[in-house]
Structures are given as C-alpha cells and as structure tokens.
Amino acid sequence: MKTYYSLYGRLLSMQALFEAFKRVKKNNGAAGVDGQSVSDFSINLGGNLHQLLLELKEKRYQAQPVKRVEIDKDDGGKRLLGIPTVRDRIVQQCLTNIMTPIFDPYFHPSSYGYRPGRSGHHAISKATLFIRKYRRQHVVDMDLSKCFDMLDHQLIIDSVRKRITDGSILTLIKMFLTSGVMIGSNWKKSELGSPQGGVISPLLANIYLDAFDQEMMRRNHRMVRYADDILILCCSKTAADKALQVARDILEVTLKLKVNERKTHIAHSDVGIKFLGLVIGSSHTKIQEKKLTNFKAKVKELTKRNGGKNLALVLKDLNPVLRGFSNYFKIANISQILRNLSGWVRRRLRAVQLRLWKKVSKLFKVLKQRKYKPPFKSIKMNSWRNAASPLANYSMPNKWFEEIGLYDLSKVKTGELALYD
C-alpha cells in the first residue's frame, strides 16, 4: 500500500475549503462553543474562508473545544456528543475529503458504517446472506461501550501514520483529538476518544477498528460491522464461543476498547438476531418492537387532535417521517405492518380533521358534497372512536388522502428485493 508523505498542501486552497463548507452546510448541525451557526458563517463566507486559509497557511490555526451535548438513547441512557465549531467542521471535512480515498478502498469488505456508497441496508443484506445462504446461524452479537469515547489517541495516530506520514496532517488530527470539551462554561481535557459529532470522527473510528476487521479476516471469521455494532457469523455454537473470545481479546487488549457485556451475546437465527433496528431470522426479517413503538409515538406527536394545524401543515411534517421510516424498514418483511399503519395514520388524520371542522353541520355539508343523502346520524366531532365511523370514512375516503398528498405506507414494496426495484 502506498504511503503519503505530503498532503497538507491539498488543504491550502479556497476551492478545497469551499467544497468542505458545502458539505458542512448540507449537514447543517448546531453551533459550537462560539455560538456561530452555519448560516452566520455563510453571511461573510468569502472573508471567513479566506481567514481560515490564511491561518492554515501560516500554521496559526487552532481548533476550539467541542460543545458537549447529551441526547437520549433508546435504552434510557445518554449519548454524549461533541459539536465542533463551523470553522473546525470545515477543516475536518477537508481532512476527511483527503483521507477517505486513501483509506476507504482498503477497509474490510464487510465494514459498512460511515463509508461512501455503503449503508445499513448493505450491512443487513450481508448478514442475511451469511445466515440464510451459507447457514451461519450461530451469531455473536457484539456491542462496544462508548466506542468513540474510548479510542486511544496514540493508537489513532499510529493507525493513520501507516498510510500518511505528513507531520502537518498528523498535527491537525492530534489537535482535534486533544482540543477538549466545554461542559457548560467549564473546559475539560480530552485524553481519550474522538468526539461523536465531529466530522472526522467516523473515519478515524473506521481506521482504528480496521485492525480488528483485518485480524478477524486473517483468522477466517465471517463478520459484518456497522460502526460499533458487530456480528460474527458462525456454523456452530462452539465456533461462536471461540470467535467471541478472539474478538474480545483483540478489542479489549489490543485496541483498549470495552465490550458491553450486557448487550454482547450469542444467539441463533431461529430466535432472531437484532441488528440495526431489525430482527434477522432464519427465514424472515422483522422490525424491532421498540422501533415500531418509537415511530408510532412520533406520529402521535405530529397528529394531535388539539394541534390546531390544518391538514396541509400536518402532512408537511408527517410525510417525511412516514417516508423515512418506510424507506429504511422496507428491507424487512413488514407489508402487513405497513398496511395496518397506513389505516391507523388515516384514522388519526380523520380525527384531526373532525376536530378542525368543529361542528357536525360541517361534516354533513361535506357528506352532501360527496353525494350522500341525509338524514345523517349526529356524532361527536372530537371523538377518537368516531374517527373510525362510517361517516368519517365517507367524508374522508382513502382516495381523498391520496389527493391531498398523504404518503401511503401501504404501497411500499417490502422485503430485501424492494431495495433493487
């Protein structure tokens, strides 16, 4: 493999910085410790980029601490994010643009997280292939505890140095790793980890974990990894036990990471393998119940009967949620679930519209416009039960929802082949 000795010059152009800014702008994100948003930065884009370029050329550039943000995890815990400033995100994106073509082509073929042209769907498809075609049904399901927070700085630099020996590039990476964290108004030194939320952190994590991937491949273990979610697929329980021990030794001893013992286990595909929000079985793929529960909670939040928004505004917020959910989970065998959800969503929207009409006379007027003849039975307009009544369905038929632009979950093709239609 080629070693690169001089790369820093690739950073030193307005074009490189502008391309990086466009990517940062596309991803948007919150402001860092300086309070400057992407929009704020873009007001004087030329001047800001010129200043950044000058600092890089004169080696005066200094990374600022990342802003600590906590977000809720599905298991009730907290995920710690570190949000860099817009300036730092641009420089990190520049580095990522330079480093990705150097490292990515040599990564393990079954590594899928945070890689161009690869996705969670590809990881799920590979795991499914191992289980169903090659009958590797005894699966080691591994999870790492706070992977991004546990990366050893020296091991990161050593891993990068195998391909890049440019001291200025390595200095920039060290700067981002050791810039520290602002927790409120207090600065905390960062001795471990690469902040989850940093633009370059996913690439650094993949470079770091590639040592694990390659060693497992050298030992002929079949695996699929998406970031810190790891499946090792074996033909017997004995082989799975051995693979777990080998993997644990590499991760904890060699790479100084911590295996999450509570979430790490061996399972058979007959009972289902939980992976990236799905349950991969020996013959079918299902959605994890908690993902379905979270989705329904989000839909309920967007379709409150007392929300006061008209349906056009409701659909503007709702459709992206429906589309995103179905586009991700369509790889599973969930056609019946989507049909049921489609009917449930329409019922919620009927409840919203009945509440907006307020008076039953408005409902009767709509029914007459649809050529139904009175007398009509009076119903309560703010009743969830009545949202499923014949009168609600007559006044707001399925075709009407199609006409006003509701994304129809029931028409989504499902199963693995749906990805390639």
Side-chain angles (χ1 to χ4, degrees):
M1 290 188 293
K2 183 179 178 180
T3 301
Y4 293 80
Y5 300 95
S6 182
L7 291 173
Y8 191 72
R10 297 188 189 181
L11 286 170
L12 306 180
S13 78
M14 284 292 284
Q15 183 62 31
L17 293 176
F18 181 66
E19 291 298 323
F21 169 76
K22 287 198 297 185
R23 184 65 179 270
V24 169
K25 183 179 180 181
K26 182 179 179 181
N27 294 335
N28 204 1
V33 293
D34 60 358
Q36 186 180 50
S37 67
V38 175
S39 298
D40 294 335
F41 188 92
S42 64
I43 292 172
N44 183 25
L45 180 59
N48 286 329
L49 291 182
H50 180 75
Q51 178 63 32
L52 198 52
L53 177 60
L54 192 62
E55 291 177 21
L56 289 167
K57 282 182 176 179
E58 297 178 355
K59 303 288 182 75
R60 293 187 293 108
Y61 169 79
Q62 289 291 323
Q64 294 181 268
V66 297
K67 181 180 179 181
R68 169 60 50 82
V69 175
E70 296 183 358
I71 61 173
D72 295 329
K73 296 170 66 175
D74 288 343
D75 61 8
K78 298 286 185 181
R79 177 174 284 109
L80 303 181
L81 299 184
I83 309 300
T85 63
V86 176
R87 284 167 48 92
D88 292 341
R89 294 209 290 270
I90 292 170
V91 178
Q92 288 189 27
Q93 186 63 57
C94 266
L95 280 174
T96 302
N97 292 345
I98 293 168
M99 293 170 61
T100 296
I102 294 172
F103 287 95
D104 190 82
Y106 299 95
F107 285 152
H108 191 289
S110 289
S111 166
Y112 292 96
Y114 310 119
R115 295 183 61 187
R118 291 170 171 247
S119 69
H121 281 161
H122 293 116
I124 293 161
S125 295
K126 176 65 78 69
T128 303
L129 178 72
F130 279 136
I131 289 170
R132 294 179 191 163
K133 183 175 181 180
Y134 299 112
R135 313 301 293 174
R136 291 180 170 270
Q137 297 178 319
H138 297 269
V139 182
V140 180
D141 183 352
M142 298 193 78
D143 185 82
L144 299 176
S145 295
K146 300 180 179 178
C147 176
F148 281 85
D149 298 332
M150 296 292 290
L151 301 178
D152 183 89
H153 288 176
Q154 191 57 51
L155 285 180
I156 292 176
I157 298 300
D158 291 345
S159 299
V160 174
R161 190 182 280 118
K162 290 176 182 178
R163 302 296 314 283
I164 297 174
T165 59
D166 186 326
S168 296
I169 295 290
L170 295 174
T171 297
L172 275 181
I173 295 172
K174 287 179 186 177
M175 189 186 299
F176 288 125
L177 294 174
T178 59
S179 62
V181 181
M182 289 298 294
I183 306 173
S185 58
N186 299 316
W187 180 82
K188 180 180 179 182
K189 186 177 181 180
S190 47
E191 298 178 332
L192 274 178
S194 183
Q196 192 167 359
V199 174
I200 201 171
S201 294
L203 176 60
L204 294 180
N206 272 335
I207 293 171
Y208 193 97
L209 287 169
D210 190 58
F212 166 75
D213 299 342
Q214 300 298 340
E215 181 62 18
M216 293 297 285
M217 183 164 64
R218 190 183 71 80
R219 294 171 182 247
N220 295 317
H221 291 293
R222 299 293 181 266
M223 53 167 282
V224 176
R225 182 174 67 81
Y226 190 93
D228 57 353
D229 287 328
I230 303 167
L231 299 182
I232 308 170
L233 301 106
C234 306
C235 294
S236 68
K237 175 66 163 57
T238 301
D241 287 333
K242 292 179 180 177
L244 175 56
Q245 187 56 54
V246 168
R248 182 182 279 116
D249 287 346
I250 299 169
L251 291 166
E252 294 195 329
V253 178
T254 305
L255 296 181
K256 303 180 182 181
L257 298 172
K258 179 65 177 174
V259 173
N260 187 329
E261 299 295 343
R262 183 174 63 85
K263 293 184 178 181
T264 296
H265 62 282
I266 296 171
H268 194 280
S269 58
D270 282 352
V271 300
I273 309 300
K274 292 183 177 180
F275 188 53
L276 302 181
L278 298 172
V279 182
I280 306 172
S282 298
S283 59
H284 290 83
T285 304
K286 302 184 295 184
I287 182 174
Q288 289 183 24
E289 281 299 323
K290 67 179 181 180
K291 299 297 182 182
L292 189 57
T293 299
N294 291 344
F295 168 72
K296 293 183 78 171
K298 195 162 190 176
V299 171
K300 285 181 179 179
E301 183 67 25
L302 293 172
T303 56
K304 290 181 177 179
R305 276 175 283 166
N306 60 355
K309 294 181 180 179
N310 63 42
L311 281 199
L313 291 176
V314 172
L315 292 184
K316 184 178 179 181
D317 294 331
L318 178 63
N319 276 339
V321 173
L322 302 180
R323 189 178 292 109
F325 174 83
S326 61
N327 281 345
Y328 182 79
F329 289 107
K330 70 181 181 182
I331 193 173
N333 307 109
I334 58 167
S335 57
Q336 186 58 54
I337 287 176
L338 290 183
R339 281 195 292 270
N340 293 341
L341 285 174
S342 183
W344 173 74
V345 168
R346 285 193 298 268
R347 182 178 177 182
R348 291 200 62 83
L349 293 174
R350 288 185 179 110
V352 171
Q353 186 60 69
L354 286 175
R355 178 71 177 260
L356 290 171
W357 282 339
K358 295 182 181 179
K359 296 181 179 179
V360 75
S361 59
K362 175 62 177 176
L363 170 64
F364 293 166
K365 182 179 178 181
V366 172
L367 289 168
K368 290 175 184 177
Q369 290 171 347
R370 295 194 179 279
K371 310 302 181 185
Y372 290 99
K373 296 182 178 180
F376 305 118
K377 182 179 178 181
S378 181
I379 63 171
K380 290 183 179 179
M381 300 293 281
N382 62 350
S383 165
W384 168 246
R385 178 181 178 183
N386 286 335
S389 69
L391 292 182
N393 281 271
Y394 295 156
S395 62
M396 293 171 279
N398 293 357
K399 184 172 176 55
W400 179 72
F401 285 107
E402 183 180 330
E403 291 169 352
I404 65 172
L406 173 64
Y407 184 82
D408 191 349
L409 293 173
S410 67
K411 293 184 178 179
V412 175
K413 293 182 179 180
T414 62
E416 190 171 350
L417 291 178
L419 297 177
Y420 308 105
D421 285 349

